[in-house]
Amino acid sequence: KPKGCTSFDVVEAVREGTGVEKVGHAGTLDPMATGLLILLVARPATRLQEAFMHLPKTYEGTIRLGETTPSLDTETEVEERTDISHLERADLEAIPPQFTGDLQQIPPMYSAVKVDGERLYKKARRGETVDRPARDIRIERFELLDWSPPDVRFCVACSKGTYIRSLARDVGDELGVGAHLRALRRTA
């Protein structure tokens, strides 16, 4: 999937390009994300959607430390900046073990999760914030690939339902400087 379009935009383009009405995808990617989007075209492929959605996923991305945004990514403006000059590589290397294994994660307000029958992103766009129940997720692998302050490149292998934007937020919170997701690519 290219950057800037939704997963549904890709599905619509395939419908129009093939003339096949039954097209679905197995795992939404945010508009800013790129990479692998599994498309299921026509029956019986669309009947396999649930099986494909439960497959583990792998991402590479960039976290910007010291800046927070309401959407936890670049889709909204930076709302707070924090000095990160005190951070050292050792501080970063202590992070992955804390975010590996079975975890609970709070979804972002800017997400398609429904609360009281309404998508959270609709509430967020009206300026509302609501309590979101934590979800069980699993992170199999979390590797730091590069540290070029203020950006950290990483690789994550995780379960269905993991929000990498929330992981970026949680990493920033753990380091005490805040963070948001700058780039994301699904690689598997």
Side-chain angles (χ1 to χ4, degrees):
K1 182 186 88 61
K3 184 176 181 176
C5 63
T6 67
S7 299
F8 186 72
D9 291 338
V10 176
V11 166
E12 278 299 300
V14 170
R15 283 180 183 154
E16 288 176 17
T18 63
V20 176
E21 193 57 36
K22 292 280 186 188
V23 178
H25 65 79
T28 302
L29 279 174
D30 289 336
M32 71 161 280
T34 64
L36 177 66
L37 179 67
I38 297 174
L39 296 177
L40 306 156
V41 181
R43 292 196 187 273
T46 54
R47 291 184 178 151
L48 299 173
Q49 182 179 32
E50 197 63 30
F52 280 106
M53 287 183 69
H54 285 284
L55 293 173
K57 292 153 180 62
T58 304
Y59 299 91
E60 288 185 11
T62 304
I63 296 171
R64 167 77 43 97
L65 297 175
E67 294 180 353
T68 61
T69 70
S71 61
L72 311 181
D73 63 15
T74 60
E75 296 296 309
T76 55
E77 294 295 317
V78 172
E79 63 183 355
E80 191 174 323
R81 288 184 168 81
T82 305
D83 180 33
I84 66 160
S85 61
H86 64 283
L87 291 178
E88 298 180 9
R89 186 163 188 92
D91 298 318
L92 297 175
E93 289 173 354
I95 293 296
Q98 298 175 53
F99 293 98
T100 305
D102 293 321
L103 305 167
Q104 290 222 307
Q105 184 183 68
I106 297 173
M109 272 302 299
Y110 284 82
S111 67
V113 172
K114 284 187 177 180
V115 171
D116 298 329
E118 185 178 27
R119 305 265 184 210
L120 284 174
Y121 66 80
K122 290 183 178 182
K123 293 177 183 291
R125 288 181 184 144
R126 289 195 305 263
E128 297 175 33
T129 303
V130 298
D131 287 332
R132 284 118 35 223
R135 298 172 151 206
D136 293 328
I137 62 161
R138 178 156 184 84
I139 296 182
E140 293 291 334
R141 183 172 42 96
F142 183 12
E143 294 177 52
L144 302 180
L145 303 175
D146 185 48
W147 164 232
S148 296
D151 293 334
V152 179
R153 283 192 334 100
F154 66 92
C155 178
V156 168
C158 58
S159 66
K160 168 190 184 255
T162 302
Y163 281 93
I164 306 300
R165 290 181 288 139
S166 291
L167 178 62
R169 171 202 59 209
D170 296 344
V171 165
D173 289 350
E174 185 64 29
L175 291 168
V177 298
H180 71 278
L181 191 64
R182 295 284 302 166
L184 186 66
R185 181 169 189 79
R186 187 186 289 158
T187 57

